[in-house]
Amino acid sequence: MTTPMLAGNRGLTAAEVAERVEAGAVNQAKRHTSRPLSAILRANFLTPINALIGVLAVIAVTFSDWKQALFAGVIIANIAIGTVQELRAKRTLDKLSLVNRSNAKVIRDGETLEIDPADIVCDDLIAVVPGDRIVVDGPLVESRNLEIDESLLTGEADPVAKTHDDEVQSGSFVVAGTGVYRADRIGADSYAARLVEEASRFTRTNSELQSAINRFIKLISWLIIPVAILLIVSQLADQENWTNTIVSTVAGIVPMIPEGLVLLTSVAFAVGIIRLGQRQCLVQELPAIEGLARADVLCLDKTGTLTEGGMDVEEVRPFSDDAPDALAALAAADDSPNPTMQAVAVHLKEHGDGDPGWRVIESMPFSSARKWSGVRFTDHGTWLLGAPDMLLDSDDPVALEADLLAAQGLRVLALVTAESASTAGGASGIEPKALVVLRQRLRSTAAETLEYFKEQGVAIKIISGDSPAAVGAVAAQLGVDGSGDTVDARRLPDSPDGLAQVLEENTIFGRVQPHQKRDFVKALQAKGHTVAMTGDGVNDVLALKDSDLGIAMGSGSPAARSVAQVVLLDDEFATLPHVVAEGRRVLGNIERVSNLFLTKTVYAITLALLVGVGAIISWAQGGEQLPYPFVPIHQSLINVFTIGLPAFFLALAPTFDRARPGFVSRVLRFAIPAGLACAVPTFVVYLLSLRHGGEHIDAQTTAGITLFSIALAALAIVAKPYTWWKFGLVAACGGAFALVLAVPMFAGFYELRLPGVWNTTAATIAIGSGVAALVLWLVIRPKHKAA
């Protein structure tokens, strides 16, 4: 592809560039695809949960011994695992972003060079062609029918024609023509620093999953404060054993904190980044991983997505002797040929049809809106090349011939002469001179990928600027349902409701204008759909930007890649099912993990309330003090085998369930009854054991066995659907706890001992009642219906 050269100006010299670099006049608005190391360390070290657990650990060590602070090991695990995974994700993002980065074309010393946008200096001359982003701000010094799309800046969808001295701003992109502009405002002074570059910024916001978890944390924080105060007041009533009371109070507060939930969410996202990166899929925003898992409609741009980027000329059907020369002259006059014109140029070269040397008066570049390009020559009139249904009357025999070819899945262009033509006013006095027939290259994996989405219940909408017949023929070759009922977008209703209805009822759409693609996305979203959109060209940018998940092809235009959340660097459409699978893994497994952690929080709060209220009642009645059932080391043992280790494995396990709305309600509808089923039997058996007599360690052990067993049953339920390794995981956790009880050395370390007959019987009854209550609730609870 050639690039425009500024007539009469050679750009900056090497010495002038060096002077500006020395003065700091360099474009410093660099891309941030990942967080810096300092931010990752700060986010993993300095968290409220780490601070709270650290304070409780200090209290436990101060008033007891070091083993009572073993629960603080979660801080080390949080920091180590979270930091390592995020650093791995950072390396993956940074490496892939270098591949995805688009260079700028600058003119220096009379030559056109491709450089990193960060190396642009003030007063550089920057050449642009269709698909290029404007990376810094400045005035145009040359324009050849240049048209700029400024929709990302102004919201206005219509391209803006730019001429000499007009200002161009970063954040916009070229849709037609070529030009050269001077870098005037660079770095922090340009729009690029805060608009274009933010499209690739690493972020942990705008995620439904993370927002829901943050709501859980906020709610739990408000609940912990009064419950902890109640527990502290009730336990400090025993002035004689106040040191033991403080340690027991710590044991009551620690399990209320869902310490690993945020960690495992971050780890799941980071591992997803790494896994997709191995498939050459650049995730520019973390929440994008869950986006396609939630999507129920996938809008596909045919060209570049279902078909490969290039195409081949099947044949040229001339209707006049000068048609081959005219076609060659058009190809020679195009200084920024699109893939179609590149294919034409290759065909002409192979057949020995060289440039006839026709003198050009005016060039009219191709645009997605007009669907044609043209040139006015000095002695040969005006010639246009474009879509037959945009240039010819529908009853023209040549137009009918083009329709028959398009119905075979071929792409057809009409070569015509015109008495007059302009980019603003259209063309008139048209006479057909030839048909150019091209064959598109279907992706070998496209049919299989489309079938996957069909099986997964994701509706497909194929939208293209090509003729409806051509789009329908391609869809038929790929086995898409409804390929025989194509819709011409020029006849679509203007009202959003009417458009939404047509979209619900049809699958294949041709002659879709760029602004209509965005209207499609908005109409589907208005119907409650989560919409993913794929594309590769400048005409897809608006729809990519407004969709719930924009997916761009790596070989596509820089503008499309800059606004998409996901970029398929190797252009492999078949990667999308892996993106879906990764999103489902994250959502499904974090829901399982949330069930576990919030079950623990619920039973901890419930136990604290029961013990606190019971202790205050007993104290008021002059009875004996009711200590908390556990010390911190008991909670460490129970938590590690019912939540900590199992949650880590479950968070990274494969899952294929489709993402459903209602995450918060589903988790609460499991965690609250499960937590109650754990806490109430534990408290009852603890009270009975105390009243039965014997040492306090027997009552603690009985309560510990009860709580562990019911929590293990909750883990077994959460682990569904079952596989051999999940059975092994649950069994190993249960066996590890039993081993601790059975081996005197371990039991002594954890301050437990094997219970007697009475305690064993009481624990068995309590466990049976708790598990029965949990199973009964799962059977009778109302089923969640996905919207």
Side-chain angles (χ1 to χ4, degrees):
M1 180 182 292
T2 59
T3 56
M5 173 65 71
L6 181 67
N9 198 318
R10 297 172 56 83
L12 297 176
T13 64
E16 290 171 330
V17 171
E19 288 177 3
R20 285 160 175 76
V21 172
E22 182 69 23
V26 183
N27 184 36
Q28 295 298 320
K30 297 181 179 179
R31 296 172 68 91
H32 299 283
T33 56
S34 63
R35 295 189 300 172
L37 175 61
S38 59
I40 291 176
L41 293 176
R42 186 166 56 249
N44 283 281
F45 275 85
L46 306 178
T47 68
I49 288 179
N50 285 354
L52 179 56
I53 293 177
V55 170
L56 293 173
V58 170
I59 294 173
V61 171
T62 302
F63 292 96
S64 184
D65 55 38
W66 64 271
K67 68 181 182 181
Q68 298 298 343
L70 284 178
F71 63 84
V74 72
I75 296 179
I76 300 173
N78 282 4
I79 293 172
I81 297 174
T83 301
V84 168
Q85 294 293 358
E86 287 200 34
L87 286 176
R88 289 183 63 199
K90 170 184 168 60
R91 286 196 296 268
T92 300
L93 282 171
D94 290 346
K95 180 180 178 181
L96 294 180
S97 69
L98 290 175
V99 178
N100 186 51
R101 181 175 299 180
S102 301
N103 289 330
K105 293 179 282 289
V106 298
I107 301 172
R108 292 177 179 175
D109 285 321
E111 295 183 1
T112 301
L113 309 174
E114 290 197 7
I115 65 172
D116 190 303
D119 295 331
I120 292 173
V121 299
C122 192
D123 297 324
D124 254 330
L125 297 179
I126 304 169
V128 290
V129 297
D132 283 350
R133 290 181 299 146
I134 304 298
V135 292
V136 294
D137 303 346
L140 275 172
V141 295
E142 182 177 286
S143 172
R144 298 178 183 175
N145 299 295
L146 189 68
E147 296 181 17
I148 301 289
D149 189 315
E150 299 179 338
S151 58
L152 301 183
L153 305 179
T154 65
E156 176 58 50
D158 294 332
V160 179
K162 296 287 186 176
T163 58
H164 186 271
D165 284 339
D166 284 347
E167 287 286 321
V168 293
Q169 290 182 312
S170 53
S172 56
F173 52 93
V174 180
V175 294
T178 61
V180 178
Y181 69 99
R182 187 178 73 249
D184 189 16
R185 291 180 299 281
I186 62 177
D189 295 331
S190 74
Y191 271 81
R194 57 185 183 274
L195 289 178
V196 177
E197 302 304 330
E198 288 184 0
S200 299
R201 190 180 299 272
F202 179 97
T203 177
R204 294 169 66 166
T205 59
N206 301 322
S207 162
E208 293 182 38
L209 178 63
Q210 291 177 321
S211 297
I213 289 175
N214 289 336
R215 289 199 299 273
F216 283 141
I217 299 296
K218 188 174 182 180
L219 175 62
I220 291 166
S221 300
W222 284 107
L223 287 174
I224 286 177
I225 295 173
V227 173
I229 292 173
L230 172 64
L231 184 61
I232 292 170
V233 170
S234 68
Q235 296 299 293
L236 289 178
D238 184 4
Q239 298 295 327
E240 295 181 2
N241 301 306
W242 62 275
T243 56
N244 292 336
T245 300
I246 290 176
V247 176
S248 295
T249 302
V250 170
I253 296 175
V254 167
M256 298 182 196
I257 307 168
E259 69 282 343
L261 183 55
V262 176
L263 162 72
L264 289 177
T265 302
S266 297
V267 168
F269 274 126
V271 171
I273 292 279
I274 296 166
R275 287 177 174 174
L276 291 177
Q278 293 170 347
R279 296 184 177 275
Q280 292 298 298
C281 177
L282 171 60
V283 180
Q284 302 197 114
E285 296 178 11
L286 279 182
I289 292 181
E290 65 181 274
L292 195 51
R294 296 187 186 279
D296 58 356
V297 176
L298 177 60
C299 294
L300 301 172
D301 177 61
K302 175 182 69 65
T303 305
T305 302
L306 300 179
T307 62
E308 295 180 356
M311 59 185 71
D312 304 301
V313 175
E314 183 84 359
E315 64 172 318
V316 176
R317 297 186 179 184
F319 306 130
S320 65
D321 294 337
D322 55 353
D325 284 343
L327 194 59
L330 286 173
D334 195 338
D335 56 6
S336 59
N338 58 25
T340 301
M341 190 57 79
Q342 291 175 23
V344 170
V346 169
H347 176 81
L348 293 172
K349 183 178 181 180
E350 291 175 348
H351 288 75
D353 295 323
D355 180 8
W358 294 4
R359 294 177 58 190
V360 176
I361 297 176
E362 179 187 9
S363 294
M364 291 164 279
F366 176 84
S367 80
S368 299
R370 291 188 297 272
K371 304 294 183 189
W372 56 262
S373 61
V375 178
R376 185 157 61 94
F377 297 101
T378 302
D379 301 316
H380 301 278
T382 300
W383 290 76
L384 309 178
L385 180 67
D389 55 344
M390 301 294 286
L391 292 172
L392 304 175
D393 293 333
S394 58
D395 56 354
D396 189 302
V398 176
L400 297 176
E401 182 179 350
D403 288 341
L404 292 175
L405 291 168
Q408 301 173 32
L410 299 168
R411 187 172 189 181
V412 186
L413 299 177
L415 177 67
V416 303
T417 58
E419 293 179 0
S420 64
S422 68
T423 56
S428 61
I430 288 175
E431 182 179 347
K433 295 295 184 178
L435 287 179
V436 180
V437 184
L438 302 103
R439 183 174 298 279
Q440 300 177 97
R441 307 166 188 167
L442 292 179
R443 294 190 181 275
S444 59
T445 56
E448 181 181 353
T449 305
L450 292 176
E451 182 62 25
Y452 167 84
F453 284 110
K454 178 182 177 181
E455 293 173 354
Q456 297 299 317
V458 179
I460 297 296
K461 306 295 176 185
I462 300 178
I463 56 181
S464 174
D466 285 352
S467 69
V471 183
V474 169
Q477 293 177 47
L478 296 173
V480 178
D481 294 338
S483 56
D485 299 320
T486 57
V487 178
D488 191 326
R490 293 171 294 186
R491 300 183 178 87
L492 287 172
D494 295 327
S495 68
D497 290 341
L499 176 60
Q501 186 63 34
V502 175
L503 287 168
E504 292 277 9
E505 297 172 352
N506 295 275
T507 301
I508 317 297
F509 300 85
R511 288 292 173 240
V512 181
Q513 297 288 335
H515 71 275
Q516 285 183 304
K517 293 184 179 182
R518 180 171 64 173
D519 293 341
F520 282 20
V521 169
K522 290 183 175 180
L524 289 167
Q525 289 171 332
K527 283 289 188 178
H529 293 291
T530 302
V531 182
M533 170 76 193
T534 71
D536 67 339
V538 293
N539 59 324
D540 302 317
V541 169
L542 299 177
L544 288 171
K545 176 177 175 289
D546 288 347
S547 63
D548 296 290
L549 178 66
I551 306 165
M553 297 296 165
S555 63
S557 70
R561 299 201 307 270
S562 70
V563 300
Q565 291 98 336
V566 173
V567 180
L568 305 180
L569 295 174
D570 58 359
D571 289 350
E572 187 49 71
F573 179 49
T575 301
L576 286 184
H578 297 288
V579 180
V580 173
E582 202 57 50
R584 291 181 176 181
R585 183 193 63 77
V586 170
L587 268 64
N589 292 335
I590 293 304
E591 182 167 328
R592 291 190 180 95
V593 169
S594 299
N595 283 333
L596 292 178
F597 278 101
L598 294 182
T599 293
K600 183 194 72 165
T601 297
V602 170
Y603 75 60
I605 290 175
T606 305
L607 266 179
L609 284 172
L610 292 173
V611 172
V613 173
I616 291 175
I617 293 174
S618 178
W619 176 74
Q621 294 177 349
E624 295 183 359
Q625 170 66 18
L626 180 62
Y628 190 79
F630 308 112
V631 291
I633 199 169
H634 295 153
Q635 296 287 11
S636 298
L637 176 63
I638 294 171
N639 291 343
V640 74
F641 289 122
T642 60
I643 298 170
L645 288 177
F648 183 80
F649 287 104
L650 291 177
L652 303 179
T655 184
F656 304 100
D657 296 334
R658 180 179 173 183
R660 299 175 295 158
F663 169 79
V664 173
S665 62
R666 281 197 307 278
V667 170
L668 290 178
R669 285 189 296 113
F670 177 87
I672 292 175
L676 293 174
C678 290
V680 174
T682 299
F683 179 72
V684 170
V685 79
Y686 176 63
L687 279 182
L688 293 175
S689 297
L690 286 176
R691 294 187 178 182
H692 182 264
E695 298 182 38
H696 188 220
I697 190 174
D698 294 324
Q700 288 179 315
T701 301
T702 305
I705 293 173
T706 302
L707 179 58
F708 177 86
S709 300
I710 303 175
L712 192 67
L715 168 63
I717 293 171
V718 166
K720 295 187 304 181
Y722 298 121
T723 58
W724 67 267
W725 70 265
K726 289 182 181 178
F727 277 115
L729 178 65
V730 175
C733 290
F737 186 82
L739 184 65
V740 169
L741 289 176
V743 178
M745 180 179 65
F746 295 156
F749 179 82
Y750 283 101
E751 300 184 11
L752 299 170
R753 71 183 179 194
L754 284 173
V757 176
W758 190 94
N759 295 85
T760 301
T761 304
T764 302
I765 296 173
I767 293 168
S769 63
V771 173
L774 179 57
V775 172
L776 180 63
W777 167 252
L778 291 174
V779 171
I780 67 173
R781 66 174 177 169
K783 300 297 182 183
H784 175 81
K785 295 182 179 180

